[in-house]
């Protein structure tokens, strides 16, 4: 969602802020702005639309001299995308400037109080209210830090706030609650940002801030204060990955690059957890007794991460013989879930910041469940809150539509299933060895799906079907779970209405929507269910559907008898097949989106990390 960068240094701030905002564009935004202190006042420039609009009005930052400033990319919540609603916001008296990620829940009451005092507002945002609130306290006290601290006592909601004061032109104050914020230590300069890529060009030394933390920084100094206003020491973390990991590297889109990174991301994710032919999970401290008494697993997540949970249901139930319930995080919190000390709540999140998932995690903990998080971003809120964490090593994922994070999350689910099944004694040694060997073979098999020939095949299907208006994905068992992800990909990046149905469910209603020419994507990899899925495919072809099937090499001779066109994928064990069948679906969506001229990496209305409920 919104992105933040703040800089205090000895060189012009605006170009650095604009460069940081460029690196945050992937988060999804609809306006951008910067504020720089210069010659006694706070100068603001902000524009609706893409960052290039802001670059144009500021002549790439040249019109805004000054060595300290704050910048923001906004994803509208309160008020439409517009120049007025864009951040930074300036207080009515011009003394305070603020950028903000999150939502201030009690902003209306605060706004009324400020209106009654004669404050006028230029925007519809909650952020402008915070800005004027700080200014109100500042007008009374002349103390910048105290004014920010007082404001923190009054506001309710989620925030990463970065603030400038015209009377203290060397200082930036930032604070956080339920919205990500990091501090970066540079050479003769300091940074705050919502995400590492914004500042990685300038520093690798960062501090991940906790809820309640407040930072007071200048170019040469930094002070961290906790909620009780005591000065605290913070551990600096070194970022090991390179900025090139967050750049396109010659690919037309981040999404395509990330699809191609899947073999290596998968291998990197599993390799630390396989030693001497056994799965080791260093981030997990399950006692054998706990696992034996396990009565239920909830897999709680949003979007694609939830669909990993849908695959996880089949994998974990089959291997561990324990009931597994995938639940949307936004529903979990409010459904009075049945949790006790024998419940494991597995939360999955690429960003580790998704508000719904974080709230569900906190709710699970409150109810006494044990929590385990599968997370990609080190130091993220979810990684800090969960009892145990297993990281996926996908590297930074920039495209809004997830691909490599999804694949690496699946990898961890397989390993977790094997690990728990062994301790629960629900798997034989032979099955264990066979599965582990098959998991280790997956990176090579994924790579085999990314050859020029395969890509060309899928590109041709995309050309043929890109004008489809309604698409139905059907499959059974794990193939059904894969269909959910394939359908979401098509919706989010190609803006095509699509639905995923269990193949056997079609005849109970949705088949009435199949008319001549409707595209049906059938995923049929499960050897025991192939014939049954083909029967369902026939139900659609006999009503005129055009079928594109995804099946394994094992059915190369069979598939043409039912489907008009097909993609063959390598065969693995049925439970692991989703790691392969999802790849042509990702590529299909990518090329359909390309044909339709959509914004592939930054689809409309979407954000990479959804930090509001
Ligand atoms: C997937 O392509 C989407 N961008 C979205 O569904 C995403 O998976 C979801 O918002 C969850 O995000 P998270 O993994 O960062 O928690």
């Amino acid at each position: 969602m919104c992105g933040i960068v703040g800089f205090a240094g000895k060189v012009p701030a605006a170009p650095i802020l604009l460069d940081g905002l460029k690196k945050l564009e992937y988060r999804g935004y609809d306006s951008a702005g910067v504020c720089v202190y210069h010659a006694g006042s706070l100068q603001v420039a902000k524009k609706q639309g893409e960052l290039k609009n802001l670059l144009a009005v500021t002549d790439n930052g040249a019109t805004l001299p000054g060595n300290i400033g704050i910048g923001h990319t906004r994803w509208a919540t309160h008020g439409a995308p517009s120049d007025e609603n864009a951040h930074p916001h300036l207080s009515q008296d011009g003394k305070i400037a603020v950028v903000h990620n999150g939502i201030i829940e009690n902003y209306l009451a605060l706004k009324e109080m400020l209106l009654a005092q004669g404050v006028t507002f230029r925007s519809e945002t909650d952020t402008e209210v915070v800005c004027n609130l700080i200014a109100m306290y500042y007008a009374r006290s002349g103390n910048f830090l105290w004014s920010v601290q007082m404001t923190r006592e009054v506001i309710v909601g989620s925030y990463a706030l970065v603030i400038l004061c015209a009377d203290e032109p060397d200082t930036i104050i930032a604070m956080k609650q339920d919205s990500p914020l990091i501090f970066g230590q540079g050479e003769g300069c300091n940074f705050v940002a919502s995400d590492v890529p914004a500042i990685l060009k300038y520093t690798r030394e960062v501090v991940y801030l906790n809820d309640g933390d407040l930072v007071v920084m200048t170019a040469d100094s930094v002070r961290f204060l906790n909620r009780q206003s005591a000065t605290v020491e913070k551990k600096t973390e070194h970022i090991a990955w390179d900025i090139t990991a967050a750049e396109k590297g010659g690919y037309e889109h981040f999404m395509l690059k990330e699809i191609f990174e899947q073999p290596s991301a998968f291998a990197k994710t599993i390799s630390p957890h396989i030693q001497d032919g056994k799965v080791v999970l260093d981030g997990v401290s399950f006692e054998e007794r706990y696992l034996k008494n396990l009565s239920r697993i909830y897999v709680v997540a949003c979007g694609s991460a939830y669909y990993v949970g849908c695959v996880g249901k089949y994998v974990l139930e089959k291997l561990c013989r324990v009931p597994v319930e995938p639940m949307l995080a936004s529903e979990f919190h409010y459904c009075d879930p049945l949790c006790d000390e024998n419940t494991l709540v597995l939360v999955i999140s690429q960003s580790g910041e998704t508000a719904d998932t974080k709230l569900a995690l906190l709710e699970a903990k409150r109810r006494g469940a044990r929590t385990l998080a599968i997370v990609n971003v080190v130091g993220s809120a979810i990684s800090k809150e969960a009892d145990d964490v297993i990281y996926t090593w996908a590297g930074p994922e920039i495209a809004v539509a997830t691909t490599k994070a999804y694949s690496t999350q699946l990898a961890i689910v397989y390993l977790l299933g094997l690990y728990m099944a062994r301790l629960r004694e629900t798997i034989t040694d032979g099955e264990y060895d066979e599965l582990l060997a098959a998991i280790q073979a997956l990176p090579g098999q994924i790579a085999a799906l990314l050859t020029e020939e395969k890509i060309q095949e899928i590109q041709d299907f995309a050309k043929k079907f890109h004008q489809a208006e309604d698409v139905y994905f059907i499959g059974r068992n794990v193939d059904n779970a894969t269909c959910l992800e394939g359908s979401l990909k098509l919706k989010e990046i190609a803006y095509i209405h699509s639905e995923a149905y269990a193949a056997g469910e079609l005849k109970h209603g949705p088949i009435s929507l199949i008319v001549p020419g409707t595209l049906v994507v059938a995923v049929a990899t499960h050897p025991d269910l192939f014939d049954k899925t083909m029967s369902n495919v026939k139900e659609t072809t006999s009503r005129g559907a055009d079928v594109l099937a995804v099946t394994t090499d094992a059915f190369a001779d069979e598939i043409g008898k039912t489907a008009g066109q097909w993609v063959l994928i390598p065969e693995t064990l049925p439970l692991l097949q989703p790691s392969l069948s999802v790849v042509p679906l990702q590529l299909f969506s990518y090329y359909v989106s390309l044909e339709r001229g959509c914004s592939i990496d930054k689809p409309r209305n979407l954000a990479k990390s959804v930090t509001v409920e």
Side-chain angles (χ1 to χ4, degrees):
M1 293 195 133
C2 311
I4 284 182
V5 58
F7 170 80
K10 290 161 187 163
V11 294
I16 291 171
L17 296 172
L18 291 164
D19 181 55
L21 295 182
K22 181 113 204 85
K23 302 286 182 330
L24 295 179
E25 279 189 293
Y26 73 94
R27 289 174 64 98
Y29 71 106
D30 43 52
S31 55
V34 288
C35 173
V36 173
Y37 174 84
H38 180 63
S41 68
L42 296 169
Q43 315 278 339
V44 174
K46 46 191 191 173
K47 282 312 273 178
Q48 187 193 335
E50 290 185 35
L51 193 59
K52 62 180 183 211
N53 302 344
L54 182 64
L55 291 169
V57 295
T58 61
D59 190 12
N60 295 317
T63 62
L64 289 173
N67 299 345
I68 187 166
I70 56 181
H72 192 260
T73 47
R74 173 175 186 255
W75 188 83
T77 56
H78 292 60
S82 67
D83 289 356
E84 294 72 31
N85 289 332
H87 301 203
H89 288 284
L90 205 53
S91 59
Q92 186 179 256
D93 61 8
K95 293 277 188 200
I96 302 290
V98 170
V99 293
H100 168 215
N101 287 359
I103 288 180
I104 304 302
E105 289 163 14
N106 60 339
Y107 85 104
L108 278 176
L110 294 170
K111 190 170 185 173
E112 270 172 37
M113 182 270 286
L114 290 165
L115 283 168
Q117 294 190 23
V119 177
T120 53
F121 290 87
R122 305 177 190 104
S123 78
E124 300 152 83
T125 65
D126 49 345
T127 308
E128 196 186 1
V129 174
V130 176
C131 185
N132 279 296
L133 195 61
I134 299 170
M136 179 192 86
Y137 287 121
Y138 185 72
R140 288 180 195 168
S141 67
N143 184 326
F144 182 23
L145 175 59
W146 180 83
S147 305
V148 174
Q149 287 171 318
M150 283 305 290
T151 301
R152 182 172 59 179
E153 296 304 309
V154 176
I155 56 177
V156 176
S158 61
Y159 50 82
L161 282 161
V162 183
I163 310 147
L164 284 174
C165 175
D167 294 341
E168 289 197 30
D170 297 332
T171 305
I172 287 178
I173 298 182
M175 60 181 177
K176 107 162 204 90
Q177 180 65 43
D178 292 328
S179 197
L181 192 66
I182 56 167
F183 164 79
Q185 187 171 31
E187 301 258 322
C189 59
N190 283 316
F191 298 84
V192 279
S194 53
D195 271 89
V196 172
I199 59 173
L200 197 55
K201 189 167 155 189
Y202 309 98
T203 179
R204 291 179 170 279
E205 310 311 314
V206 306
V207 173
Y208 293 98
L209 298 169
N210 291 329
D211 286 345
D213 282 349
L214 188 149
V215 185
V216 185
M217 72 177 206
T218 66
D220 302 308
S221 70
V222 62
R223 198 149 62 99
F224 300 103
L225 304 174
N226 66 14
R227 209 185 294 270
Q228 289 71 40
S229 300
T231 301
V232 286
E233 292 296 317
K234 290 271 171 192
K235 193 169 146 243
T236 304
E237 316 256 354
H238 181 77
I239 303 293
W241 51 269
D242 204 72
I243 191 68
T244 52
E247 286 172 350
K248 279 189 205 151
Y251 286 88
E252 200 176 341
H253 295 97
F254 279 111
M255 183 177 174
L256 192 61
K257 177 182 175 238
E258 288 161 5
I259 289 173
F260 273 84
E261 283 173 348
Q262 289 181 111
S264 64
F266 193 107
K268 264 191 215 157
T269 297
I270 61 170
S271 64
H273 297 299
I274 302 173
Q275 283 165 25
D276 303 326
K278 294 281 170 287
V279 177
V280 287
L281 295 179
D282 287 340
V284 183
S285 46
F286 289 146
E287 312 76 39
E288 214 167 313
R289 219 179 94 233
Y290 167 76
L291 280 183
K292 289 251 165 81
N293 290 336
L294 200 61
S295 60
R296 176 197 298 262
I297 301 175
Y298 283 112
V299 190
V300 178
C302 303
S304 295
Y306 166 71
Y307 295 146
V308 170
C310 295
V311 177
K313 176 180 172 65
Y314 295 103
V315 173
L316 299 173
E317 272 187 358
K318 178 91 180 156
L319 298 181
C320 307
R321 308 316 295 158
V322 64
V324 178
E325 197 173 335
M327 280 213 74
L328 290 165
S330 52
E331 290 295 315
F332 180 84
H333 198 159
Y334 304 103
C335 77
D336 202 4
L338 298 165
C339 291
D340 60 24
E341 70 278 7
N342 294 324
T343 312
L344 174 64
V345 174
L346 177 63
V347 296
I348 306 180
S349 175
Q350 186 284 129
S351 62
E353 299 290 349
T354 302
D356 290 321
T357 310
K358 186 179 158 195
L359 285 170
L361 165 67
L362 297 177
E363 181 62 15
K365 281 174 81 174
R366 198 183 66 77
R367 287 170 180 261
R370 180 137 178 189
T371 57
L372 167 62
I374 300 176
V375 175
N376 193 42
V377 178
V378 176
S380 55
I382 289 172
S383 73
K384 285 182 179 164
E385 289 290 351
D387 295 324
D388 294 295
V389 187
I390 307 176
Y391 286 107
T392 49
W393 296 109
E397 191 179 62
I398 306 297
V400 165
T402 182
T403 51
K404 61 176 180 170
Y406 174 90
S407 286
T408 52
Q409 288 161 355
L410 276 183
I412 295 294
V413 167
Y414 302 148
L415 294 182
L416 184 65
L418 269 188
Y419 177 85
M420 296 201 302
R422 189 155 171 269
L423 292 173
R424 284 173 61 82
E425 298 172 1
T426 50
I427 190 171
T428 65
D429 288 349
E431 287 165 337
Y432 183 95
D433 293 343
E434 191 190 15
L435 267 157
L436 192 54
I439 292 168
Q440 287 174 285
L442 283 171
Q445 292 181 303
I446 298 172
L449 283 165
L450 297 170
T451 59
E452 247 175 68
E453 198 190 343
K454 277 280 167 214
I455 300 278
Q456 188 57 55
E457 206 182 318
I458 293 164
Q459 244 175 316
D460 291 345
F461 291 135
K463 281 202 171 83
K464 180 168 179 187
F465 293 117
H466 74 274
Q467 281 170 328
E469 283 177 8
D470 303 288
V471 180
Y472 297 89
F473 286 74
I474 60 168
R476 287 171 179 259
N477 195 272
V478 287
D479 292 336
N480 175 31
T482 309
C483 283
L484 294 164
E485 174 61 5
S487 170
L488 178 63
K489 285 281 139 315
L490 201 61
K491 287 186 197 85
E492 64 178 338
I493 63 164
Y495 312 150
I496 293 179
H497 165 243
S498 82
E499 297 195 33
Y501 267 97
E505 180 64 15
L506 217 56
K507 58 188 175 293
H508 296 287
I511 200 159
S512 65
L513 296 166
I514 307 290
V515 293
T518 306
L519 176 60
V520 172
V521 178
V523 182
T525 67
H526 200 299
D528 300 345
L529 299 169
F530 180 82
D531 289 342
K532 288 210 180 298
T533 305
M534 286 307 114
S535 301
N536 303 128
V537 168
K538 275 184 196 137
E539 291 161 7
T540 70
T541 51
S542 55
R543 286 158 182 88
D546 217 349
V547 173
L548 171 60
V550 174
T551 191
T552 65
D553 293 328
F555 293 103
D557 296 336
E558 293 295 306
I559 191 69
K561 294 177 190 162
T562 319
Q565 42 265 305
W566 57 90
V567 178
L568 294 178
I569 61 172
E571 202 185 0
T572 179
L573 295 174
L575 283 183
L576 310 182
Q577 207 67 62
S579 288
L580 303 176
S581 44
V582 77
V583 178
L585 303 186
Q586 296 167 340
L587 287 165
F588 181 66
S589 292
Y590 173 81
Y591 285 111
V592 167
S593 177
L594 196 66
E595 286 293 326
R596 291 166 72 98
C598 300
S599 169
I600 295 181
D601 285 336
K602 287 173 271 167
R604 69 182 176 214
N605 304 337
L606 289 173
K608 182 64 184 162
S609 152
V610 184
T611 49
V612 294
E613 214 184 334

